[in-house]
Each structure stands twice: as C-alpha cells, then as structure tokens.
Amino acid sequence: MLGTAIVTRVLPATADAIAAAARVLADGGLAAFPTETVYGLGADATSGEAVARLYAAKGRPIFNPLIAHVAGERDARQLAVFNDTAGRLAAAFWPGPLTLVLPKAMDCPIAVLATAGLDTIAVRVPAHAVAHALLSAFNRPVVAPSANRSGHVSPTTAAHVLADLSGRIDMVIEAGTTEVGLESTILACIDAVPTLLRPGALPRAAIENALGSRVADSYRNEEDAPAAPGMLASHYAPRAPLRLDVTDVGAGEALLAFGPDLPFGIGRATHVLNLSARGDLVEAAANLFSHLRALDRCGANAIAVMPVPEQGLGEAINDRLRRAAAPRSTR
Ligand code: TXA
Ligand code: MG
C-alpha cells in the first residue's frame, strides 16, 4: 500500500462514505475523518499491520503512542482501567474533546505498537457526528492521530489533510472545518491527582470545576522526556520560523495577529491574518492551524505572532505556538 503512491479518495460525509471508510479500516487501510477537534487519520487499532502503515504514512516515530477512539464509555472500559476520577470525567465530558490516559486493561485488544509498548493507553470518545457514526459502524477501536505529517501543523479541513497525506492514505471523509480547531486535552488518571499531559480543546478550568480540585501538569517539562511522548519541543511546525510575543513587525515578516490593536510596523508585514480581531479565544483556537498554514504558503521569511492571553483556550493556543516556534533540531 505504501511505497507506491495510492490514490486518496475524498468523499463528502454521507452514509455511503462512512460505510466505505469502515471497509477501508476493516481491510487494514487508512481513512481520515473529521472530529470536533481536528481531522484524525484512522486505522484499525487491533491490527499491528494497519497501525504500522499509519506510522509510516505520517512519518511518525514509533515511540510516540496513539489515541484509541471508541464510540462510547462502555467500549473504552474494554480497553482501560477507570479509577473514580476517570469515571467522573468520562461522565462529565464524553463524548467530547478529553483524552484520558489510563492503565491498559488486562485483556486490552489493542496492537502493542499502538501504545508504543506502554502499560497505559490513551482513550477518547469524540463528539463529532461523523466520527461517532464511523466508530459505531466499524465497531472496533480506531487509532487516530491528527491527520498531518509528523511534526507539522494539525489539519482542520480535508484540504489540509490532502496537502500533507495525499497519495499516502486511502481516503478522507470531507465535512468542512472542524469546530474547535485544537486537539483534545490529555489527562492522565493514574495517580491520586490527575495530570495534564497536553492542554487542549477542553480548558483546564472546566476539568478542575468538574472535579472540585486542581490537576497537576507535566507538559511544560521540556528538559525531561515528555510525559506524552508526542509532546516534543518542536511540533506543529510550519516551514517558516515563528517569532512569538511580537510588539513590532520586521521587514519580510508575515503577521499572525490577535485582537483589535495591531503592533508597531504593521505596514511592513507582507501578509496579515488575525486569529480573532475581537480578541475571542474560541475563535482564535478555531483559526490557529489554518492561519499558520495560510501564512506559511505566502512565502514570508518568518511569521511574527502577537501575544495571546494564557487563560481558557489560550493555554493550549500558547502551547502550540511555543512548539511551532521551537528549534527544529530537537524534533
Ligand atoms: O484531538 C485529538 O486528540 C486528535 C483527534 C484526531 O482525536 N488526535 C490527536 O492525536 O491529537 P495525536 O496522535 O496527534 O496526539 C496524541 C498524543 C501524543 O502526544 C501522544 O504522545 C499522546 O497523545 N499519548 C498517546 N498515548 C499515550 C499514553 N499512553 N501516555 C501518554 N501520552 C500518550
Ligand atoms: Mg498530532
């Protein structure tokens, strides 16, 4: 399947397309589909061969484990051991953009490669109707990383998926722009205090309110091996270098703006896109990856990025921007 280029079919999200994608998965192939966060690249989680194809198509290092997607909590409980906290969070936020990292169940049917040999597993129940229909039709867990080349910007449209993976995957279900635009929040519920491994589409405050207590976090420890192995310092990276927290624009730079007040030297910007002119973080999250891709295509020397406040979805937006700006040698 890989090696020689394959033709990637793009099908609008009809019942036929969902049935076709389920067949692709059953045959060990790769089908991209929308979720409420970003487009995912699906493979049969129980097939080591299918999972190996998925790593190859993305160019993903095999030490970086995948999230198993299922249609509901009952299916998730076949894969993982839920403590009380995990059960409460699943009840509060599933289906939705929360991924739980839990001890693997004894008879977990997931291919060893999918969890990169760890004794934990990441599970998620997406809320998008198309994702839900596909998971129900396939009726087996589906591993689905973001449908981009490893290390690149995550896809929020089917066109983004094709730009990265056309000729390397069997099909894409096309269903417009993903609603949230940032990946799920990843929380480990293994120890007494849950640990935030990746800030994401579900803000930390929503989790802390539901639990009535604080969560720990480990995702900022750039020096150590990342707690979520995919959280490498350089990730989400466009071709052009990023310059963060700008208060002025340099010659030849494109500007990724935020809010109504544009910085000094705005006239020098080769292109300007605003994450949210009214300073709304939900709108900014939805625009982040598509604006990064669009500014990257303009051929600017660098992308200057205005500061984004750290509250709410801003925590995840800033996390992605810092990784997109990180030196590439560590990828
Ligand atoms: O919103 C999302 O989560 C999207 C959509 C498609 O569902 N998926 C996604 O997958 O973002 P991916 O593969 O791009 O990111 C998954 C992250 C990686 O950083 C990986 O290292 C981490 O989850 N991960 C997976 N299994 C883990 C485990 N057992 N322990 C810690 N981290 C884990
Ligand atoms: Mg990803």
Side-chain angles (χ1 to χ4, degrees):
M1 173 174 309
L2 292 167
T4 53
I6 52 176
V7 177
T8 302
R9 285 184 294 158
V10 185
L11 300 180
T14 61
D16 284 352
I18 287 160
R23 279 196 301 277
V24 163
L25 295 178
D27 289 343
L30 305 177
F33 60 94
T35 80
E36 72 278 28
T37 59
V38 298
Y39 277 73
L41 178 59
D44 179 354
T46 67
S47 160
E49 214 177 297
V51 176
R53 280 196 191 108
L54 190 155
Y55 278 99
K58 274 189 60 106
R60 179 176 177 114
I62 56 168
F63 59 77
N64 186 4
L66 302 165
I67 300 173
H69 295 64
V70 289
E73 184 181 338
R74 204 156 46 116
D75 301 323
R77 286 180 181 269
Q78 306 291 309
L79 309 180
V81 180
F82 283 62
N83 61 15
D84 175 56
T85 307
R88 284 166 63 198
L89 291 171
F93 297 114
W94 280 356
L98 174 67
T99 294
L100 296 175
V101 169
L102 305 171
K104 230 165 115 169
M106 197 93 89
D107 48 358
C108 176
I110 300 286
V112 174
L113 191 55
T115 53
L118 299 175
D119 51 12
T120 58
I121 183 168
V123 288
R124 152 156 152 76
V125 177
H128 195 290
V130 172
H132 183 80
L134 176 59
L135 293 168
S136 301
F138 186 54
N139 201 25
R140 252 183 269 168
V142 171
V143 280
S146 50
N148 51 275
R149 289 287 197 115
S150 184
H152 195 216
V153 182
S154 298
T156 57
T157 66
H160 294 164
V161 177
L162 290 173
D164 275 26
L165 295 173
S166 183
R168 303 177 71 85
I169 65 176
D170 296 287
M171 69 174 282
V172 185
I173 304 180
E174 207 283 300
T177 303
T178 60
E179 189 186 334
V180 186
L182 285 176
E183 301 85 348
S184 62
T185 300
I186 305 182
L187 195 73
C189 291
I190 294 166
D191 307 319
V193 179
T195 303
L196 186 62
L197 302 185
R198 176 175 75 181
L202 182 67
R204 170 201 296 269
I207 296 169
E208 294 182 336
N209 287 341
L211 293 177
S213 59
R214 306 296 294 269
V215 300
D217 66 52
S218 68
Y219 74 94
R220 291 176 220 261
N221 304 339
E222 303 294 313
E223 303 306 316
D224 305 335
M231 295 295 276
L232 303 174
S234 171
H235 209 81
Y236 311 101
R239 179 199 50 78
L242 257 66
R243 197 163 68 83
L244 301 184
D245 293 326
V246 300
T247 49
D248 63 337
V249 182
E253 284 187 329
L255 177 69
L256 185 62
F258 177 81
D261 304 317
L262 298 182
F264 181 75
I266 180 73
R268 286 197 291 268
T270 60
H271 297 83
V272 180
L273 285 176
N274 202 324
L275 290 170
S276 171
R278 59 175 199 270
D280 178 64
L281 288 165
V282 174
E283 183 181 33
N287 285 329
L288 176 66
F289 292 139
S290 60
H291 281 11
L292 279 175
R293 281 179 184 258
L295 290 179
D296 207 21
R297 281 198 306 270
C298 296
N301 298 338
I303 301 174
V305 185
M306 287 175 65
V308 174
E310 185 73 10
Q311 77 245 16
L313 288 178
E315 183 178 9
I317 294 171
N318 283 320
D319 171 74
R320 304 305 186 268
L321 286 170
R322 279 193 292 272
R323 289 174 206 282
R328 308 296 162 85
S329 57
T330 58
R331 192 186 301 170

